[in-house]
């Protein structure tokens, strides 16, 4: 069975309102999850790509393992922090790449890495489907071997 931990499914509408379900446990009642949303949308040689990057931490230093989409997020993509060089999220496009990144350190360096590799990641997800990956420790601003550094890469569709 394919491990879909950290991947997502969901939709966004023509006003940029997104409803995303992520394959991690629902937060405990004290809501110990912390997230930051960043717009990494980009114009490439083949056109515009919508990208939302969600940095996530749960205060733990081990990766999660989960098999259902229990964590639900609702947000306006237009209120996301804009990464340097990113363009406006285009609500007219039919899909968006959603990057859900689990790490205890919220680093600009990590976001820049993903922004620089969108042209490689997007076709990979289009061809092979939603997936999770380990992220290289050397990319971290402060590398340690105990950080989760896991990423879920998913396509979210316009409804």
């Amino acid at each position: 069975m394919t491990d879909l931990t950290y991947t997502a499914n969901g939709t966004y509408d023509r006003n940029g309102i997104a409803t995303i379900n992520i394959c991690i446990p629902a937060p405990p009642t004290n809501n110990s999850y912390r997230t930051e949303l960043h717009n990494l949308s980009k114009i490439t040689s083949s056109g515009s790509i919508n990208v939302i990057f969600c940095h996530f931490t749960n205060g733990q230093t081990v990766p999660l393992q989960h098999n259902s989409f229990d964590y639900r997020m609702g947000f306006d993509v237009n209120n996301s922090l804009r990464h340097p060089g990113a363009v406006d999220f285009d609500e007219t496009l039919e899909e968006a790449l959603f990057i859900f990144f689990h790490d205890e350190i919220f680093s600009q360096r990590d976001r820049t890495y993903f922004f620089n590799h969108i042209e490689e990641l997007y076709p990979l997800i289009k061809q092979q489907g939603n997936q999770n990956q380990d992220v290289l420790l050397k990319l971290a601003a402060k590398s340690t071997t105990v950080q989760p550094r896991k990423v879920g890469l998913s396509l979210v569709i316009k409804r």
Side-chain angles (χ1 to χ4, degrees):
M1 185 168 141
T2 304
D3 179 10
L4 294 177
T5 307
Y6 300 110
T7 64
N9 60 42
T11 61
Y12 63 93
D13 66 18
R14 61 183 174 84
N15 298 313
I17 304 302
T19 303
I20 310 295
N21 301 300
I22 303 154
C23 191
I24 63 172
T29 55
N30 66 355
N31 196 9
S32 62
Y33 292 174
R34 177 178 161 227
T35 59
E36 279 185 9
L37 295 169
H38 297 265
N39 176 9
L40 272 58
S41 299
K42 190 174 189 178
I43 304 276
T44 69
S45 59
S46 56
S48 183
I49 301 174
N50 282 334
V51 182
I52 296 295
F53 183 92
C54 181
H55 243 132
F56 156 79
T57 181
N58 64 348
Q60 302 296 314
T61 57
V62 294
L64 295 172
Q65 185 68 41
H66 201 65
N67 61 8
S68 61
F69 295 86
D70 292 334
Y71 180 49
R72 185 177 192 128
M73 294 178 70
F75 57 92
D76 183 342
V77 298
N78 298 306
N79 291 335
S80 301
L81 302 168
R82 189 188 296 215
H83 184 77
V87 298
D88 288 341
F89 188 93
D90 183 351
E91 293 96 346
T92 67
L93 295 177
E94 294 301 315
E95 61 192 13
L97 176 60
F98 188 84
I99 301 171
F100 193 76
F101 184 60
H102 184 187
D103 193 19
E104 295 306 299
I105 298 172
F106 285 30
S107 168
Q108 175 76 24
R109 189 175 183 186
D110 292 320
R111 292 185 297 275
T112 298
Y113 171 81
F114 284 100
F115 183 77
N116 291 341
H117 289 86
I118 288 169
E119 291 90 342
E120 300 160 31
L121 294 171
Y122 183 70
L124 175 73
I125 303 309
K126 293 266 305 173
Q127 295 167 3
Q128 298 178 13
N130 295 353
Q131 57 190 268
N132 67 32
Q133 300 175 2
D134 292 317
V135 180
L136 299 174
L137 285 172
K138 69 180 181 179
L139 299 178
K142 178 183 172 190
S143 295
T144 71
T145 57
V146 296
Q147 295 175 19
R149 299 199 55 76
K150 297 286 281 185
V151 65
L153 304 164
S154 307
L155 286 181
V156 171
I157 58 170
K158 180 180 168 187
R159 60 174 165 202

